[in-house]
């Protein structure tokens, strides 16, 4: 089957499953349940409105209660404004044009607010995101056409048909803050004509290296770069770091992390600061006044009033046309001056930059990027730099069938396998004690990693052990199935007994304000909820509460803590370990720790997989194995 036909089929399977799950959730649940699952804000209050491009009305809304619930409302997503008096009929669709804190701007597909919007009980709910799937589908079809034409070398290389080429001349680099493997990655990326891959295992300074790669390309080629990543958080991190290096960055879309520094990089903010913006504000105000005057004519009126109303609408429309032209001029002006444009993968096709092409496109966190989404920015490039780690978390995929048939294999993995000559491995890590690093380095990175001298021997206290495996085998801590999840209350209780004892020991060295930060991780959501309850109930740990966070493995990707506890949860007679068999996820969990890693689990269950039995043997060799009976 043709490379892209297969990719298209996998994407269609994923889209169908994603839509099915969305429909199941929205059709069988109440607005209260949908609010709890992050799909809706309810109730909201409308705080303002104005006309925007194409005579559409943009409203600004605020959620007035339940502000602590995390939500999925994001820039660019389709959403609907509805009235809960009659949610099936009283609804108008639109697109989220901005989201920050508890406020959202929604551009509606109408030029005036419907009458029902004045009666209260309003909410905003996200719709199924067909747009992202359409963009990915379109990109795959274009890539297929380019591959079939036979003269697009980049597409040929990325699909494994051709080998990448490199310049012969090694660039002279003066970057004293980089280590030799990081310097090599910058040099290799400059020598690559079509493809460079930066493989950054945990703690090896991938972002630091990538920033220098981008700077080096701008200094050498004097061209604009497009820098993309699968998540808003990853885009924010890079945008911030590039800006700190003095580069002119324009962030397309709006940041997940709402800091003033990041806001200042957005296109919206740069437009607001532009000298021509005063004229636009004046014109918009005038257009709104004409529209308001036109709306004052009630339904029963004669010919003269009708003509007067039409004239007012026409004038408002003419003014908005002028506003649009001026806005376009401002956008073009800002983008022309940018050295780096940053966006999410699909955001690379945002209408303001849709037509732009770039000599080089950088895809960060490529190990978490769905391949169809990668083709959206790739089609705009002559050369691609992929950065990430295919030994950490894979992309999130809704359809198990699509994942099984190849959608879970990322473009990064394929390119690493097909083009090892394009890969630069960053081999010095600056996070973990060498005992924490060693097992991961052995299993995933061919023992190629070393711990930098600044971290290789760092411990919480002198004589402490950096790795502990606490074995609950034989303790009778049986897991309890909870829907699609699992729990193990006794294991959770043991974890907090251990943490409380450790906190007592550390209290003599660290005052509460300087207490080492702690992550308590479990792969299972229901176990997380038990762990959170136990933490809230623990009086002994309250002085250190600010330093302790409890969450799933996925939420700690890219983060680090002084101490990491992992509650493995699974303990059963059949040695069934479920999705603990996803060892890449465990690689992420085990490499979050800087000075101490404590894994609590049942060796009898875990040893069904060589990865865990080998880890337990490793813990024994470094004197890190203990039986849970010591804490019983």
């Amino acid at each position: 089957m043709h490379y892209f036909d297969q990719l298209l089929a996998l994407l269609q399977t994923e889209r169908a499953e994603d839509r099915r799950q969305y429909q199941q959730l929205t059709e069988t649940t109440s607005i209260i349940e949908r609010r709890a699952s992050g799909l809706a804000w309810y109730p909201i209050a409308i705080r303002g409105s104005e006309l925007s491009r194409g005579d559409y009305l943009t409203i600004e809304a605020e959620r007035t209660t339940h502000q602590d619930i995390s939500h999925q409302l994001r820039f660019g997503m389709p959403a609907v404004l509805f009235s809960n008096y009659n949610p099936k009929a009283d609804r108008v669709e639109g697109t989220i044009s901005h989201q920050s804190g508890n406020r959202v701007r929604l551009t509606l597909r109408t030029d005036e607010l419907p009458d029902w919007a004045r009666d209260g009980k309003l909410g905003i709910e996200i719709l199924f995101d067909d747009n992202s799937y359409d963009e990915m589908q379109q990109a795959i079809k274009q890539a297929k056409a380019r591959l079939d034409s036979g003269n697009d070398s980049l597409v040929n290389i990325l699909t494994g048909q051709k080998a990448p080429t490199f310049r012969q001349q090694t660039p002279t680099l003066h970057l004293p803050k980089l280590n030799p493997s990081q310097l090599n990655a910058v040099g290799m990326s400059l020598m690559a004509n079509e493809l460079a891959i930066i493989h950054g295992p945990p703690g090896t300074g991938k972002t630091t290296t990538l920033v220098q790669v981008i700077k080096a390309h701008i200094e050498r080629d004097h061209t604009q770069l497009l820098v993309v990543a699968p998540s808003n958080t990853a885009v924010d991190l890079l945008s911030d770091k590039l800006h700190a290096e003095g580069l002119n960055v324009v962030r397309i879309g709006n940041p997940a992390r709402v800091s003033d520094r990041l806001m200042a990089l957005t296109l919206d903010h740069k437009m607001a600061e532009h000298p021509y913006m005063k004229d636009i504000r004046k014109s918009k105000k005038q257009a709104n006044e004409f529209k308001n005057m036109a709306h004052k004519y009630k339904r029963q009126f004669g010919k003269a009033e009708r003509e007067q109303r039409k004239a007012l609408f026409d004038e408002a429309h003419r003014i908005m046309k002028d506003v649009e032209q001026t806005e376009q001029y401002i956008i073009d002006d800002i983008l022309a001056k940018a050295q780096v444009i940053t966006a999410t993968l699909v955001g690379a096709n945002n209408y303001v930059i849709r037509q732009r092409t770039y000599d080089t496109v950088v895809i960060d966190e490529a190990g978490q990027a769905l391949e169809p989404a990668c083709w959206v920015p790739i089609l705009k490039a002559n050369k691609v730099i992929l950065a990430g780690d295919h030994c950490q978390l894979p992309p999130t995929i809704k359809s198990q069938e699509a994942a099984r048939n190849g959608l879970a294999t990322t473009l990064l993995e394929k390119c690493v396998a097909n083009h090892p000559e394009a890969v630069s491995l960053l081999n010095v890590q600056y996070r973990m004690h060498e005992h924490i690093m060693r097992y991961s380095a052995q299993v995933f990175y061919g023992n190629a990693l070393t711990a930098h001298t600044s971290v290789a021997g760092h411990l919480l206290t002198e004589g402490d052990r950096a790795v502990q495996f606490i074995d609950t085998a034989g303790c009778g801590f049986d897991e309890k199935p909870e829907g699609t999840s699992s729990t193990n209350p006794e294991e959770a209780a043991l974890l907090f007994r251990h943490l409380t004892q450790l906190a007592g020991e550390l209290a003599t060295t660290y005052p509460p304000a300087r207490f080492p930060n702690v992550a308590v991780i479990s792969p299972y959501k229901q176990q997380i909820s038990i762990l959170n309850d136990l933490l809230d109930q623990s009086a002994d740990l309250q002085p250190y509460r600010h330093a302790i966070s409890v969450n799933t493995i996925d939420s700690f990707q890219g983060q680090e803590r002084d101490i990491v506890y992992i509650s493995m949860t699974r303990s059963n007679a059949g040695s069934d370990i479920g999705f603990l068999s996803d060892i890449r996820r465990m690689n992420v969990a085990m490499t979050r720790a800087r000075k101490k890693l404590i894994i609590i689990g049942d060796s009898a269950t875990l040893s069904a997989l060589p990865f865990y039995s080998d880890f337990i043997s490793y813990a024994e060799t470094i004197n890190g194995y203990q039986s849970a009976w010591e804490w019983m």
Side-chain angles (χ1 to χ4, degrees):
M1 197 180 193
H2 192 291
Y3 184 97
F4 288 111
D5 286 339
Q6 189 186 1
L7 201 54
L8 206 52
L10 292 170
L11 184 66
Q12 279 159 353
T13 307
E14 172 67 1
R15 181 185 208 154
E17 177 57 20
D18 195 2
R19 179 182 272 121
R20 188 194 66 77
Q21 289 184 20
Y22 173 84
Q23 281 173 339
Q24 192 178 5
L25 197 61
T26 51
E27 286 166 13
T28 59
T29 54
S30 68
I31 187 60
I32 308 304
E33 290 168 302
R34 297 202 296 279
R35 175 175 69 195
S37 62
L39 293 177
W41 281 9
Y42 179 79
I44 56 137
I46 294 176
R47 299 296 185 212
S49 66
E50 64 163 21
L51 281 172
S52 59
R53 293 172 78 89
D55 274 358
Y56 288 140
L57 185 75
T58 295
I59 60 160
E60 180 157 348
E62 182 177 19
R63 61 170 168 176
T64 48
T65 65
H66 301 83
Q67 294 177 338
D68 54 335
I69 296 177
S70 66
H71 63 88
Q72 298 170 42
L73 277 73
R74 301 278 180 271
F75 168 83
M77 290 197 80
V80 61
L81 172 74
F82 66 90
S83 155
N84 212 28
Y85 286 117
N86 189 359
K88 289 266 188 284
D90 294 346
R91 49 193 287 127
V92 54
E93 292 185 5
T95 306
I96 296 172
S97 49
H98 197 82
Q99 191 279 309
S100 160
N102 289 300
R103 292 213 167 199
V104 69
R105 287 167 70 81
L106 184 63
T107 300
L108 300 170
R109 292 199 197 117
T110 177
D111 61 355
E112 55 182 311
L113 263 182
D115 292 342
W116 51 258
R118 294 173 180 80
D119 302 335
K121 283 186 92 165
L122 299 178
I124 288 174
E125 180 166 22
I126 56 173
L127 297 168
F128 181 73
D129 188 8
D130 265 316
N131 178 48
S132 292
Y133 282 105
D134 289 344
E135 294 284 11
M136 289 189 269
Q137 198 172 309
Q138 196 51 39
I140 294 170
K141 287 177 177 170
Q142 279 179 300
K144 182 185 180 206
R146 287 202 196 174
L147 185 63
D148 292 345
S149 75
N151 54 12
D152 190 307
S153 59
L154 181 61
V155 179
N156 273 295
I157 289 161
L158 294 176
T159 54
Q161 321 278 323
K162 267 174 78 176
T165 63
F166 299 88
R167 301 180 186 202
Q168 293 312 302
Q169 204 182 351
T170 311
T172 312
L173 296 167
H174 181 67
L175 297 166
K177 288 181 180 163
L178 299 192
N179 67 41
S181 72
Q182 293 171 331
L183 266 174
N184 176 58
V186 178
M188 280 283 288
S189 74
L190 288 167
M191 288 162 72
N193 291 322
E194 307 89 4
L195 173 67
I197 299 167
I198 298 167
H199 183 189
T204 53
K206 173 180 62 76
T207 305
T208 304
T209 308
L210 204 49
V211 167
Q212 296 307 322
V213 163
I214 292 161
K215 264 188 87 170
H217 277 78
I218 289 168
E219 282 165 16
R220 185 189 70 181
D221 303 330
H222 307 291
T223 58
Q224 186 177 77
L225 267 71
L226 173 66
V227 176
V228 290
S231 70
N232 276 300
T233 313
V235 177
D236 291 350
L237 176 67
L238 262 176
S239 304
D240 201 10
K241 295 260 202 264
L242 290 164
H243 171 65
E245 282 284 323
L247 294 174
N248 181 350
V249 179
V250 177
R251 166 79 161 95
I252 303 294
N254 82 278
R257 296 191 300 192
V258 189
S259 68
D260 291 341
R261 259 214 325 264
L262 274 170
M263 278 303 171
L265 304 182
T266 61
L267 183 61
D268 283 358
H269 187 276
K270 290 186 182 229
M271 285 178 73
E273 303 280 285
H274 198 281
Y276 281 17
M277 212 57 198
K278 280 197 198 78
D279 302 342
I280 284 188
R281 287 192 198 101
K282 215 185 321 179
S283 298
K284 277 188 173 179
K285 193 176 170 207
Q286 204 179 0
N288 272 323
E289 280 167 5
F290 281 135
K291 281 210 156 186
N292 289 337
M293 282 159 68
H295 285 309
K296 287 198 174 79
Y297 290 102
K298 292 294 171 223
R299 298 283 174 264
Q300 289 81 34
F301 47 73
K303 186 169 179 282
E305 287 92 344
R306 194 176 293 114
E307 280 171 5
Q308 184 60 28
R309 177 183 161 118
K310 185 180 180 305
L312 288 165
F313 271 133
D314 287 347
E315 188 53 27
H317 189 74
R318 188 193 62 74
I319 293 170
M320 285 309 291
K321 272 273 171 281
D322 291 346
V323 163
E324 256 178 56
Q325 280 175 341
T326 312
E327 269 182 354
Q328 194 56 55
Y329 171 80
I330 294 172
I331 290 169
D332 293 342
D333 188 43
I334 291 166
L335 293 177
K337 289 173 181 156
Q339 290 169 297
V340 183
I341 292 177
T342 63
T344 57
L345 296 166
V346 174
N349 246 2
N350 181 292
Y351 75 94
V352 293
I353 55 169
R354 183 179 281 273
Q355 302 306 328
R356 297 181 92 82
T357 57
Y358 311 85
D359 187 53
T360 304
V361 166
V362 176
I363 302 181
D364 190 19
E365 297 297 355
Q368 279 191 281
L370 212 55
E371 181 178 350
C374 290
W375 286 101
V376 177
I378 286 170
L379 293 174
K380 302 174 182 299
N382 297 319
K383 167 177 166 179
V384 172
I385 298 169
L386 299 174
D389 182 10
H390 50 290
C391 304
Q392 291 188 64
L393 287 181
T396 305
I397 295 172
K398 302 274 173 70
S399 160
Q400 287 183 327
E401 184 195 338
R404 232 186 0 259
N405 291 333
L407 194 59
T409 308
T410 60
L411 187 62
L412 176 67
E413 277 174 273
K414 292 176 185 177
C415 288
V416 167
N418 290 329
H419 307 302
E421 70 277 24
V423 181
S424 304
L425 174 74
L426 307 181
N427 60 16
V428 181
Q429 66 83 17
Y430 298 84
R431 175 184 298 164
M432 295 161 264
H433 185 285
E434 63 184 342
H435 285 178
I436 299 171
M437 171 202 82
R438 198 177 296 154
Y439 186 66
S440 166
Q442 185 184 309
V443 176
F444 295 100
Y445 308 108
N447 276 326
L449 294 189
T450 56
H452 189 260
T453 49
S454 60
V455 301
H458 68 180
L459 291 162
L460 293 166
T461 54
E462 208 175 323
D464 188 28
R465 275 173 295 191
V467 175
Q468 273 179 287
F469 176 76
I470 298 169
D471 190 356
T472 64
C475 294
F477 291 2
D478 290 342
E479 67 183 75
K480 296 165 180 54
E482 294 267 340
T484 55
S485 195
S486 295
T487 62
N488 195 325
E490 288 100 339
E491 185 179 288
L494 172 69
L495 187 152
F496 277 104
R497 271 205 298 284
H498 190 282
L499 177 53
T500 306
Q501 185 185 322
L502 179 64
E505 289 164 9
L506 293 173
T508 55
T509 314
Y510 299 95
R514 285 199 311 109
F515 193 77
N517 49 28
V518 183
V520 177
I521 299 177
S522 173
Y524 292 95
K525 278 199 173 129
Q526 295 300 331
Q527 183 76 343
I528 293 295
S529 123
I530 290 177
L531 290 162
N532 266 316
D533 289 346
L534 287 171
L535 178 59
D536 291 341
Q537 289 157 22
S538 168
D540 294 335
L541 290 173
Q542 285 319 301
Y544 316 111
R545 184 69 185 81
H546 63 281
I548 305 170
S549 39
V550 179
N551 218 322
T552 58
I553 295 172
D554 299 35
S555 65
F556 283 109
Q557 164 103 338
Q559 298 186 45
E560 56 187 65
R561 296 288 189 275
D562 295 318
I563 304 165
V564 169
Y565 278 88
I566 307 175
S567 166
M568 300 299 282
T569 311
R570 300 306 292 260
S571 175
N572 54 68
S575 294
D576 177 18
I577 59 168
F579 81 105
L580 290 186
S581 57
D582 180 357
I583 60 173
R584 291 195 292 185
R585 199 168 240 103
M586 282 315 297
N587 185 33
V588 172
M590 292 158 93
T591 54
R592 301 306 96 201
R594 297 179 66 240
K595 298 178 181 177
K596 194 170 185 70
L597 170 68
I598 301 125
I599 297 181
I600 302 177
D602 176 354
S603 64
T605 301
L606 295 173
S607 291
L609 197 72
F611 176 80
Y612 295 111
S613 57
D614 291 349
F615 173 74
I616 294 162
S617 303
Y618 168 72
E620 285 170 335
T621 65
I622 53 169
N623 196 21
Y625 176 89
Q626 282 168 294
S627 167
W629 289 100
E630 294 179 38
W631 282 272
M632 296 295 279

